[in-house]
Amino acid sequence: MNQEKVRELLDEALQENESLYLIDLQFLANSKIKVIVDGDSGVQLSECVRISRKIEHNLDREEEDFSLEVTTPDISHPLMVKRQYRKNVNRILKVKTATEEFEGTLTEVTDENITLHWKAREPKPIGKGKHTVEKTVTLQYEDIKEAKVKIIF
């Protein structure tokens, strides 16, 4: 399988719609190619078909047989690229670092970090009972081990 040719064709297909971006490209056993793409405002099925055809029609099945899957990340797939964070501002994320886990609303995304905001019940500093406090944490991308969007039904 000519992996470089597949990468070139994929790049060309993504350049035709600048709101789309690559999440993952895998070359698996049995000549299977798996492409995962996402978009700034989602990905329509027709875009997956267009990308698939762009790759498939420019590779020679006579030379080497292959299977091709072009898909979008599923609901349980962690966020992998910065553009995914931008698209999920104001959604609740579950973020794991090496030492802690956070769950909060994604309020800000920069080139270096993300900011989460949430409310927590904590013991009062003086007296009995608990009170609600607002918390904020800013995390560098390199510190994030996994981040997933929390789906609320």
Side-chain angles (χ1 to χ4, degrees):
M1 175 62 52
N2 187 343
Q3 295 181 6
E4 193 57 40
K5 175 80 171 171
V6 172
R7 283 187 175 85
E8 288 173 18
L9 293 168
L10 178 57
D11 287 342
E12 288 174 20
L14 291 174
Q15 287 173 7
E16 292 175 19
N17 183 343
E18 292 184 3
S19 73
L20 300 180
Y21 49 92
L22 179 65
I23 300 297
D24 197 13
L25 171 61
Q26 299 173 355
F27 296 94
L28 306 169
N30 300 326
S31 297
K32 182 175 181 180
I33 305 166
K34 184 172 183 178
V35 178
I36 302 176
V37 295
D38 205 348
D40 295 326
S41 55
V43 181
Q44 294 184 356
L45 179 60
S46 60
E47 286 297 304
C48 289
V49 171
R50 180 184 63 78
I51 293 167
S52 178
R53 287 183 179 155
K54 174 79 173 183
I55 295 169
E56 194 168 348
H57 290 284
N58 289 292
L59 294 177
D60 187 4
R61 283 197 185 271
E62 298 295 324
E63 190 177 300
E64 184 172 5
D65 196 23
F66 63 91
S67 67
L68 174 65
E69 178 184 359
V70 178
T71 185
T72 58
D74 66 25
I75 221 164
S76 64
H77 202 267
L79 303 181
M80 310 251 320
V81 298
K82 291 178 185 178
R83 282 176 78 172
Q84 286 182 294
Y85 287 94
R86 287 188 184 96
K87 137 180 174 173
N88 286 294
V89 169
N90 295 323
R91 289 196 170 151
I92 297 173
L93 295 187
K94 291 179 92 171
V95 180
K96 293 179 185 177
T97 66
T99 58
E100 296 180 88
E101 288 188 27
F102 301 97
E103 184 175 310
T105 303
L106 179 62
T107 56
E108 186 178 357
V109 177
T110 68
D111 288 337
E112 294 82 32
N113 56 51
I114 65 168
T115 302
L116 297 176
H117 183 82
W118 70 96
K119 293 181 181 178
R121 298 282 293 161
E122 292 186 349
K124 290 181 181 178
I126 300 173
K128 295 181 180 180
K130 292 185 176 186
H131 66 290
T132 301
V133 294
E134 294 197 14
K135 299 223 173 202
T136 301
V137 66
T138 300
L139 301 167
Q140 303 295 320
Y141 290 110
E142 59 266 12
D143 295 335
I144 298 172
K145 300 295 180 210
E146 181 180 80
K148 290 184 178 182
V149 176
K150 184 174 181 184
I151 304 303
I152 300 172
F153 295 97

